[in-house]
Amino acid sequence: MQVIQRIPSFLLLPLFITWQCWVAADAHQFQVRSKNSLAFFTSAAQHNAPWWSTSRRHNKSQLGMSLIPIPINELQQIVPNASKLTPTGDQYVTYLGRTPRERFNSLFEGASVAFLGTMFAYFISFVIGQFLATILGIIFLFWPILSPEFKAYQRNWELVGGRDLIDVWVDDDEDGYWSGIPQNKRGLYGAYYTSVVDDICVVDDVRATAEEEYDLDEFSDYTKTSDELETMTGIPWKLRLRLLDDEGRGMQVHARMSEDYLDLEPGMSAIGVLLSTSKEFDQLAGMTDFLVLDEVDGSTITWVGDYPYLPKDEFLRIIERNGVVDELLAEQEEDDYLDDEDENYGDEVEEEEDLVPVSSKRLK
């Protein structure tokens, strides 16, 4: 209370207004992120073996091919970490706004903070001096430009939470540094999650039940700028994407609806990066956006996610170089071949049932 009494009364109002703007902006940011980026990850079975190997078909106790461990050198290139938090152009544009409505809201928020901040800097100049007040005023004056940069920087930091990225091939017995540290306290392990799009629908809220889902075909003329739900309620439509891998793991991802998602179809391949504090990935600690590929030629269809964690060009080069795309397409072709064999076998059985036994045609 003594500290508050020492502050001049003419400074209390600008301080309070600025603090309220920051609280409101952070609350809105958290609300949008929690609603639009909700996802859950379930595993059909527990895997006790340490990690995946190419001999998974012969050793069923090892983690399946759907989760491919990422070496530390690749993980540091594609995932934001302590040494790589500077936002990319796509990340900056995400907070600057992709639609006229989003850009207006971002500009209005930045202009409000800039006006109140410069007024606050003027009044506080009588207390802290002209030099520091001028620097503070310049920061507030350029806040509409700096705000998306700071928000994207914070979003990148939140993905890892200040934790280190750990190599999945670290041997506890050989490396004495990690031997005395619990596994869930060491940092984050990374793995490629390769899956197939199982179902696609649109919902108005991430908590919507299956009865409240809308078919994607009903939004064939959808655009972000003409989102009727956002116009009426301020909350846009959400895409609900269900992914399924060949090991029985299922993932449900929500993202803000976009016209870029209208070409999505069940059966397409999807690749993303999962982060966990455990080598077995029994608990999910982080998730990036997903790359959806054509199941035939592996061409890029779209990127699904509210925030572009992955650098698009760098990620594509890495997964093409390390063979993840080729392996995913090979598995897809194998699954399609097995499905065709099952259908052909069923047709043959039906034809055999329709045939009259040869013995019944013999003359008696």
Side-chain angles (χ1 to χ4, degrees):
M1 294 298 295
Q2 295 179 356
V3 177
I4 297 178
Q5 292 176 359
R6 293 176 184 175
I7 299 177
S9 58
F10 63 85
L11 293 179
L12 293 179
L13 182 59
L15 282 172
F16 177 77
I17 295 176
T18 305
W19 176 75
Q20 287 292 333
C21 290
W22 276 98
V23 171
D26 290 342
H28 175 72
Q29 179 183 358
F30 174 77
Q31 181 181 13
V32 171
R33 189 158 60 242
S34 61
K35 285 186 176 182
N36 294 350
S37 300
L38 180 65
F40 62 84
F41 180 75
T42 57
S43 177
Q46 296 293 332
H47 300 275
N48 299 321
W51 268 103
W52 160 80
S53 70
T54 55
S55 60
R56 69 178 183 91
R57 298 181 183 273
H58 304 285
N59 188 356
K60 296 182 179 180
S61 64
Q62 298 207 354
L63 196 61
M65 181 62 191
S66 300
L67 283 176
I68 306 176
I70 305 177
I72 188 64
N73 58 334
E74 292 184 5
L75 190 61
Q76 292 176 345
Q77 295 180 49
I78 60 178
V79 174
N81 53 80
S83 60
K84 187 185 176 183
L85 293 177
T86 304
T88 62
D90 291 336
Q91 294 172 349
Y92 181 88
V93 171
T94 299
Y95 280 102
L96 182 63
R98 298 182 182 275
T99 63
R101 179 189 295 271
E102 292 177 351
R103 287 190 290 269
F104 173 79
N105 293 336
S106 177
L107 180 61
F108 179 78
E109 176 189 337
S112 301
V113 174
F115 174 76
L116 296 175
T118 51
M119 294 295 294
F120 171 73
Y122 169 75
F123 287 116
I124 205 174
S125 63
F126 299 102
V127 179
I128 64 176
Q130 192 73 23
F131 178 73
L132 294 178
T134 302
I135 296 177
L136 188 62
I138 293 175
I139 294 176
F140 280 117
L141 184 63
F142 288 94
W143 187 252
I145 301 176
L146 299 176
S147 176
E149 182 83 10
F150 291 154
K151 291 179 180 179
Y153 187 94
Q154 179 186 2
R155 186 72 175 271
N156 291 340
W157 184 88
E158 289 177 352
L159 177 65
V160 295
R163 291 169 290 188
D164 295 329
L165 300 177
I166 309 299
D167 199 327
V168 296
W169 283 283
V170 171
D171 193 341
D172 299 342
D173 297 332
E174 296 180 0
D175 195 337
Y177 175 78
W178 298 111
S179 59
I181 303 177
Q183 188 179 100
N184 59 350
K185 302 294 184 181
R186 299 175 182 177
L188 297 176
Y189 302 94
Y192 296 109
Y193 178 73
T194 60
S195 58
V196 176
V197 177
D198 182 59
D199 185 40
I200 310 168
C201 60
V202 180
V203 294
D204 58 354
D205 190 85
V206 296
R207 296 179 294 271
T209 61
E211 291 75 15
E212 300 172 328
E213 296 176 348
Y214 298 88
D215 194 82
L216 185 62
D217 295 337
E218 301 179 19
F219 293 79
S220 57
D221 57 347
Y222 174 88
T223 60
K224 283 185 178 181
T225 56
S226 62
D227 193 314
E228 298 178 355
L229 183 64
E230 185 180 18
T231 303
M232 293 185 296
T233 65
I235 301 176
W237 290 100
K238 312 290 190 305
L239 177 77
R240 175 174 289 177
L241 189 69
R242 293 189 180 93
L243 305 176
L244 191 66
D245 65 10
D246 58 353
E247 298 293 334
R249 301 178 187 85
M251 175 175 291
Q252 182 169 284
V253 181
H254 293 94
R256 186 209 164 131
M257 184 58 187
S258 171
E259 55 268 28
D260 297 335
Y261 303 152
L262 298 178
D263 295 331
L264 292 175
E265 297 178 358
M268 292 182 173
S269 303
I271 304 176
V273 176
L274 303 184
L275 301 175
S276 176
T277 56
S278 171
K279 288 185 177 182
E280 289 77 21
F281 272 74
D282 51 2
Q283 184 176 1
L284 189 62
M287 179 183 64
T288 66
D289 44 325
F290 280 84
L291 168 64
V292 180
L293 303 172
D294 187 86
E295 69 275 14
V296 178
D297 57 2
S299 59
T300 301
I301 301 298
T302 187
W303 295 77
V304 178
D306 289 323
Y307 185 77
Y309 286 108
L310 300 174
K312 294 182 174 59
D313 296 336
E314 185 70 20
F315 184 74
L316 286 171
R317 283 195 298 267
I318 290 178
I319 61 177
E320 289 176 0
R321 185 176 64 244
N322 58 21
V324 173
V325 175
D326 296 336
E327 184 67 24
L328 179 60
L329 295 177
E331 288 191 354
Q332 187 73 16
E333 292 178 358
E334 181 181 352
D335 294 339
D336 295 340
Y337 174 77
L338 293 177
D339 292 340
D340 294 339
E341 287 292 325
D342 293 339
E343 294 178 359
N344 294 334
Y345 176 76
D347 296 339
E348 292 177 358
V349 172
E350 293 179 358
E351 292 177 359
E352 291 178 358
E353 292 178 352
D354 295 338
L355 293 176
V356 180
V358 177
S359 58
S360 62
K361 296 182 180 180
R362 294 178 180 175
L363 295 177
K364 295 183 179 178

